[in-house]
Amino acid sequence: MVTIGSRLKLLRQQKGWSQTETAEKLRISRQSVSKWELDKSLPDIGMLKELALLYDFSLDELLQLQEEKIMLLKALETETMAADSSRLICRNKEPNTEQLAFLTTAMFEPIAARILPERILWQTVLPQIPAGMGSNLSAVTVVSKERTRRYQTLFGGDNGIYLFVTESGLWRTTAVEWLETEKLEQLPFSELAVLVTAPFFEARVSRGNRPGLFYGKKDGGYDMLAIGKPASAALQPILEVLDQKWQIYREYQGYSIGEIVKRWRKQKRLPEE
C-alpha cells in the first residue's frame, strides 16, 4: 500500500535532497521529516501546503484524492452514446429503433470491449464533412462489408469521426475504418503536449463560432476538429480531473483554435500552411 509517508519520501528523493536538506528548507528538524516518511506522524495542513510548493505537487495527489476523483467520473453507457451520436448524425432528428440498435451493437459495444479495462468517460461524433478542405471522407478504406453499407444506408452515407476519452487518453476512428477494419487509433496523454477545447474563431465572432478540439502531439503532429457545444461543455470538467496540473492544456487555454494552431506551428517550427 502506498502511504503518505512513502509518497513524501519518493518526492524528496526525486528532488535529490537528503532529509537534512529538506528540513533546512522547511525550517524544521530532520527528525520531523523522518517521522513523516516513516508514517509515525503527519504534517499539519500548513506544512502540507509548504510541502506542496517545495515538491511541486498537489495535495490531491499526495492524499490520493486524484485517483478517487477519477473513479467518481461516470462511465458512459453504450445506449447513451448511441442515442447522442445518432442525433448528431441525423442533424438533431430523433433516431429510429433500427439506427439506435445498429450503433449500439456494431459500434459502441465492440469499441467499449476493445478499450476495456478502461472506461469511456466522454464521446462524440463529427458527422461527415463533404469532400474538399477538411473532409473526413475515407480516401484509403474501401467499402466492402455489408455492415458498412448498412451503416451508410441508415445514416445517409455518413463517415463520421468518432472520438472517445478514457483515463489514459484520446481515441479516434471513423465509421468506415471501424466497420471495415476495426481500426481504433489511441493517442495517450503521455504522447500529447496539448489537448484543449476552444472556439474556432476569436471571441468577438459570435455567429457560427462553434467549439473546436485541438490536440498536439509531442512529435509535432496535430489536428483540430469541430465539436458541438454540449460535447465541449462535457469534456472540459473531465480534462480538469484527468489533468489536474493542466500539463496538457494550460499554455493554450483562452485562445481560439485559429490562434492555437498558429502558436503550435511556430513553437514546433512547422512550415506555413
Side-chain angles (χ1 to χ4, degrees), residues 20-78:
T20 299
E21 288 172 319
T22 300
E24 289 174 352
K25 294 176 186 296
L26 294 170
R27 302 173 303 281
I28 59 174
S29 69
R30 185 199 66 79
Q31 287 78 10
S32 294
V33 176
S34 177
K35 287 180 180 179
W36 296 340
E37 294 182 359
L38 293 172
D39 290 301
K40 291 183 178 180
S41 65
L42 288 173
D44 61 28
I45 188 63
M47 190 55 67
L48 280 173
K49 290 179 180 178
E50 287 199 43
L51 284 164
L53 291 172
L54 185 67
Y55 291 150
D56 187 27
F57 70 92
S58 70
L59 293 181
D60 280 1
E61 184 180 359
L62 176 66
L63 301 175
Q64 296 181 295
L65 297 180
Q66 176 70 356
E67 291 89 341
E68 292 182 19
K69 287 182 177 181
I70 291 174
M71 290 307 299
L72 287 173
L73 291 173
K74 187 178 180 181
L76 295 178
E77 300 289 339
T78 54

Side-chain angles (χ1 to χ4, degrees), residues 121-159:
L121 305 173
W122 176 87
Q123 179 273 324
T124 193
V125 59
L126 286 60
Q128 175 183 295
I129 301 171
M133 184 176 293
S135 173
N136 59 344
L137 287 167
S138 175
V140 295
T141 306
V142 177
V143 174
S144 63
K145 294 188 176 181
E146 177 58 33
R147 64 179 186 175
T148 313
R149 288 191 284 268
R150 187 61 187 153
Y151 175 92
Q152 294 187 326
T153 298
L154 287 170
F155 297 104
D158 178 76
N159 184 31

Side-chain angles (χ1 to χ4, degrees), residues 84-92 103 125-128 151 155-156 158 160 162:
D84 291 345
S85 294
S86 58
R87 290 191 190 98
L88 289 171
I89 301 168
C90 297
R91 312 297 177 183
N92 294 319
L103 282 183
V125 59
L126 286 60
Q128 175 183 295
Y151 175 92
F155 297 104
D158 178 76
Y162 286 78

